[in-house]
Each structure stands twice: as C-alpha cells, then as structure tokens.
Amino acid sequence: MHRFPHASLLALLAALGTTPGATAESSDTESGRVHLVTVAEGLEHPWGLAFLPDGRALVTERPGRLRIVATDGQVGPALAGVPEVAAVNQGGLLDVAIDPEFENTGLVYLSYTEPRDGANGTTVARGRLADAGLEDVQVIFRQQPAVAGGHHFGSRLVFGRDGRLFVTLGDRGSQRARAQTLDSHLGKVVRIERDGGVPDDNPFAATTGALPEVWSYGHRNVQGAALHPVTGELWTNEHGPRGGDELNRTLPGLNYGWPVATYGTEYSGATISERPTAPGVEAPVHHWVPSIATSGLIFYTGDRFPQWRGNAFIGGLKSQQLVRLELEGNRVVREERLLRGEIRQRVRDVEQGPDGLIYLLTDEGKGRLLRLEPAP
C-alpha cells in the first residue's frame, strides 16, 4: 500500500486553513467563525468515511464502490475486491472501518446490503487493503433473517476499546415488531469479535432463544455510532419515524423501546404508541421532534476546536445541517444548529480527522467530502 508523497506539505497547508484547489464558505457559530471547505466532490451517494494512518481517507459509495481520497482531495479509482451489493433504495455499500491494529493487519471492514435469494440483509465483510483493492475478503457477519425490501439497514461499524466490533442494524421497516424479540438481528445493535465470533460476555450469549450477538434491542434504524471519550460506552443516534429521532447511551442488554415506546408518529400522522417511554425501556438521552434525520455521530476530542472538546456532533440528512450538543456527564445541556444554509446537501457521515478537524460526507448523486475548520 503506497503513501501519498506530499502528505506532510498538505497537512501543513490544511493546518493553515488552505488545501490546493479547495473552495470554502464561512459561517458564524456561537463559538466563533468557521470555514466549510470542499475537499472532494463528484462522489455518488457517499455513505461511510474512515481515515488511514497516513491521512488518506477511505470512502464508500452506496452503489458499491470503495475509493481512496488523497490528502489533496484527489479521488482515486474504485478499488477491487468489494463484495456484490444490493443497491436498492436505502441499500448498497454502507459503512467502512479500519482494524484497530491496521498498521499490522491491513484489514478493512465493510457493511453492505447483501443480495440473498430474492431478499437481502445487512452483512459485514473484511479484507486486506492492497494497492489495487481488497484481498482475501471474507464475510464475518450476516443479519438474520433476510427480508425483501429496501429500507432500514443501519449500519455503522464501531470498534470498542476491547477491540470487539459493534454493528448497528435496522428493523427493515416491515419487521418493526421484531425489534422487541431476541430471536433475530432486526432492530438490534450486535457485538462480535473481529473474526465474527461471539464474545462470551455478550449480554444474551447464554440466553435460550436469543441470538448471542445481540448487544441491545428495540432500535428502529441506527445510522450514527461512536464511543464516549471518557467512559468508552457506545452511544448511538437513530431515526424516528415522523419525529422521535433519538440519541442513546447504548448499554448491554437494554431495550430502547421501538416500537412500543416512541416520541414519533407514522408518516401519515397516525399513532404508533401512546407513550414515549415505558417500564423496562431505556429513555433517550436526547430526542428531536420534529426529526432532523440523524446520521453520523462523533464526540470531538481534538485540539483545533478546543471550545468544542467533549461535544457530540450529529449530521442531519433532510435537515442538511450539523448539530452540536454540549454535555454535562450524560445529560445534553445545550444544542446548536450549525451550517444550516451552507451545506445544502444531506449530511450522511461525520468523522474527526487525524488533523483534529471535522469532516462530513454528503449523501447526494454528486456528493462531497467537506471539512470544517476554524477561521484564521
């Protein structure tokens, strides 16, 4: 795997707020002025973003392509070795993550919608990154059961501090009731070993009738996930229906309520549940009515925005914005809506780069990789 030859120079230019060929817009925030820089464009419905140790970025495109974006924003050709995807409606190639020991293993993990005998389901595979693409690709997890349709696949990939892999999985839309049962992966977050095995300390590993990979349940469609920088706990955000988007501390063995408890209603306006919370259901840390259409989640830990350290950042799809949340412990104490007139596209992923800046992917036919920088 080659490294970009001028990475150090480009990193210096980025630190000065400039990248060759990049365009920028300015925006005011409660904490000062920022620049929104277009790093790369022309990506077809980009979905997932992961940075390599040398500063280059892996980006997935939902139709089924994995690309490398160089540190100067140049978009490379589609890499070989990506599994076949079912690019139907919300489905296709979804998230990407690199192995916690990537510099030794070279392993890259992909989640995607896999075609399965007239149906489909969220699947996770891993392969070794070489110059031309992925080699020795193997499937390590398949959501069960497969379902015909094109909605609610999840799917974010996050490694815990212990090296185990969290995978977020949607309820597939038509199967919402099964989010409450432990005999399927529908509407669940699962936790697996890096080779697909089941950790012995999973909360339902010894429960009769439960699938042992299940970590938490009662989810609708989780498309943002990150580890809390202090506690190491998994936090997620998920789409409500009409209203009821949620931010959750996603703890082992807990029920997050969907569809028996929700702040949202059907898209028609009809009632789903008479109650937003219920006994035995974990209440969200924060929720949105109306929906912002959550996707992507980070806790900021860098030095470029010291005033935002420890804040959560969440992308908005339909709302075309970036949401900043201030927390005290596990409580949200302030919310700020950022870039509401500047992005003008659906924000699918949010990541912190190795340079300490905030990066966004926009989910459009001509999607962009954006970078948020402090104004000089």
Side-chain angles (χ1 to χ4, degrees):
M1 182 175 63
H2 63 278
R3 292 176 179 269
F4 190 77
H6 307 300
S8 58
L9 172 61
L10 291 164
L12 174 61
L13 291 170
L16 296 173
T18 306
T19 297
T23 58
E25 294 187 58
S26 295
S27 180
D28 289 318
T29 77
E30 294 175 357
S31 305
R33 199 160 183 80
V34 296
H35 285 167
L36 183 67
V37 178
T38 298
V39 177
E41 52 193 347
L43 298 161
E44 187 175 1
H45 292 286
W47 213 98
L49 169 66
F51 286 94
L52 294 168
D54 61 8
R56 296 179 300 157
L58 289 168
V59 175
T60 62
E61 292 177 304
R62 190 155 43 83
R65 293 180 291 272
L66 176 66
R67 299 186 187 274
I68 292 178
V69 178
T71 52
D72 66 348
Q74 293 295 311
V75 179
L79 297 176
V82 174
E84 178 187 3
V85 308
V88 53
N89 205 310
Q90 298 172 356
L93 185 58
L94 303 173
D95 208 10
V96 57
I98 67 169
D99 192 89
E101 300 177 4
F102 176 82
E103 293 194 2
N104 295 323
T105 68
L107 290 175
V108 171
Y109 295 72
L110 299 173
S111 64
Y112 58 100
T113 307
E114 180 187 43
R116 302 185 204 162
D117 297 326
N120 52 55
T122 303
T123 293
V124 179
R126 69 177 186 177
R128 184 172 53 83
L129 183 62
D131 288 339
L134 299 181
E135 298 177 346
D136 304 320
V137 176
Q138 62 177 144
V139 170
I140 62 169
F141 173 81
R142 285 187 170 95
Q143 182 187 34
Q144 300 294 344
V147 177
H151 294 87
H152 297 191
F153 296 98
S155 154
R156 289 294 170 195
L157 303 174
V158 174
F159 284 98
R161 289 180 176 175
D162 60 3
R164 273 67 177 263
L165 178 62
F166 293 105
V167 185
T168 74
L169 302 166
D171 69 352
R172 301 306 314 280
S174 63
Q175 305 292 313
R176 62 171 57 165
R178 299 195 70 175
Q180 284 294 313
T181 65
L182 298 175
D183 61 351
S184 81
H185 296 130
L186 303 173
K188 309 298 192 298
V189 173
V190 300
R191 175 177 178 253
I192 57 176
E193 304 284 3
R194 283 183 273 177
D195 62 0
V198 178
D200 293 338
D201 60 348
N202 269 7
F204 301 108
T207 301
T208 302
L211 295 185
E213 298 90 354
V214 173
W215 176 260
S216 60
Y217 64 108
H219 299 286
R220 184 172 182 267
N221 193 17
V222 175
Q223 292 190 340
L227 296 187
H228 191 284
V230 176
T231 65
E233 293 172 346
L234 179 70
W235 287 48
T236 61
N237 65 52
E238 67 182 271
H239 291 277
R242 185 179 178 185
D245 292 356
E246 296 181 358
L247 174 67
N248 288 303
R249 289 175 67 205
T250 310
L251 303 178
L254 296 188
N255 178 4
Y256 289 84
W258 177 255
V260 300
T262 177
Y263 286 91
T265 63
E266 300 283 11
Y267 294 110
S268 66
T271 298
I272 297 173
S273 172
E274 298 286 351
R275 52 191 182 176
T277 60
V281 166
E282 189 73 4
V285 172
H286 195 65
H287 70 277
W288 290 267
V289 177
S291 294
I292 63 170
T294 57
S295 191
L297 169 65
I298 63 166
F299 290 94
Y300 183 73
T301 60
D303 295 325
R304 300 299 301 279
F305 299 100
Q307 72 276 22
W308 289 345
R309 197 173 293 120
N311 290 186
F313 288 84
I314 295 170
L317 289 164
K318 184 178 180 180
S319 60
Q320 299 183 356
Q321 63 186 324
L322 181 66
V323 174
R324 180 180 69 86
L325 300 177
E326 294 181 20
L327 292 96
E328 291 182 359
N330 295 320
R331 294 188 307 114
V332 173
V333 296
R334 186 170 184 82
E335 176 177 341
E336 181 183 12
R337 307 289 181 95
L338 305 176
L339 309 171
R340 297 181 76 174
E342 287 77 25
I343 299 175
R344 298 184 295 278
Q345 291 186 326
R346 293 155 45 91
V347 179
R348 173 61 71 183
D349 199 10
V350 184
E351 298 291 343
Q352 180 178 313
D355 53 8
L357 298 172
I358 296 173
Y359 288 78
L360 313 175
L361 280 181
T362 65
D363 182 9
E364 304 285 346
K366 294 183 178 180
R368 295 179 291 163
L369 174 60
L370 305 172
R371 182 174 65 236
L372 190 64
E373 305 174 346

